[in-house]
Amino acid sequence: MEIPPFLFDQPKEVSARIILSEDYEGIITRDYGFIIAIVDVIDVGPGIIIPGNANTFHEVEFSILSFKPMISEVVEGEVVEIVDFGSFIRLGPLDGLVHVSQICDDYISYEQVGNRFIGKETGKILEVNDTVRAKIIAVSLGTGRSGKLGLTMRQKFLGKPEWIEADIEEEYADKNKSKESDEEGSKD
């Protein structure tokens, strides 16, 4: 890491945190995912001076807080934008896209006037500011500050909390029915 002369009056650890924050926070790497913050500057080695360069060069050991999305990971977020082809979900430092075909297991129509999606048979409604649970189905981490996440909410136990509650109730109802039919079959 390079420390420029205007930071020489600061302790090395303070200068290192300033430079590391500027260089790393908010970038995406293949190894670490989205770097959210520099957590701690553990060690700043002695400086090396290179003739013709005003900066000092230091080896630095530091820790980071990062978010590395993984395929099949279940995440929760907030709907921040709805467009005709899908909805964007804020997942902390990144936004993911739920394509219109992945919102739910129903025919979905986009209602431009209300800026929302409505399920034809289920009546499920998805709007901006809704909290949802989704599953990551595609991860494309570029370099720098670009990355794309593809999400789905089609499977059971995904989507808005009320959709999940309905799935749980349906699951228990199905299990109770099969349990009752098993008990009746054993009585005969």
Side-chain angles (χ1 to χ4, degrees):
M1 180 202 71
E2 296 181 44
I3 297 179
F6 71 87
L7 290 175
F8 286 171
D9 64 335
Q10 301 286 327
K12 288 189 303 186
E13 291 75 16
V14 172
S15 299
R17 180 177 290 280
I18 291 168
I19 299 298
L20 292 170
S21 294
E22 289 174 3
D23 289 350
Y24 291 101
E25 288 179 0
I27 68 164
I28 298 171
T29 69
R30 293 198 188 286
D31 293 335
Y32 302 108
F34 186 89
I35 298 175
I36 298 168
I38 303 301
V39 175
D40 192 21
V41 176
I42 299 164
D43 184 45
V44 181
I48 298 171
I49 299 172
I50 297 176
N53 192 323
N55 298 338
T56 57
F57 295 81
H58 303 262
E59 283 194 23
V60 180
E61 186 179 344
F62 59 99
S63 59
I64 60 171
L65 173 64
S66 67
F67 170 57
K68 186 173 183 183
M70 307 296 279
I71 291 182
S72 296
E73 181 178 2
V74 175
V75 291
E76 273 193 20
E78 182 179 323
V79 177
V80 292
E81 185 179 2
I82 291 184
V83 291
D84 61 348
F85 58 86
S87 63
F88 289 93
I89 313 298
R90 175 85 19 99
L91 306 170
L94 296 174
D95 289 350
L97 171 65
V98 180
H99 188 268
V100 66
S101 65
Q102 297 296 314
I103 292 175
C104 67
D105 201 14
D106 188 4
Y107 177 79
I108 294 288
S109 60
Y110 173 65
E111 187 180 82
Q112 192 170 2
V113 175
N115 193 33
R116 61 187 186 170
F117 287 107
I118 300 176
K120 184 176 182 181
E121 293 177 19
T122 59
K124 291 179 177 178
I125 297 173
L126 185 66
E127 299 175 299
V128 173
N129 298 326
D130 284 344
T131 299
V132 295
R133 184 175 295 163
K135 186 176 188 179
I136 298 174
I137 56 173
V139 176
S140 173
L141 293 180
T143 55
R145 300 186 187 276
S146 66
K148 296 178 183 170
L149 294 179
L151 307 171
T152 185
M153 298 188 307
R154 280 186 73 137
Q155 299 166 344
K156 280 190 166 200
F157 313 114
L158 297 176
K160 291 172 57 173
E162 51 266 29
W163 302 357
I164 297 168
E165 288 173 22
D167 288 341
I168 292 169
E169 289 174 11
E170 183 182 313
E171 186 77 14
Y172 279 117
D174 289 347
K175 284 188 178 182
N176 286 339
K177 284 181 188 175
S178 67
K179 188 177 178 181
E180 289 172 7
S181 65
D182 287 346
E183 289 173 358
E184 288 178 19
S186 64
K187 290 180 185 177
D188 294 338

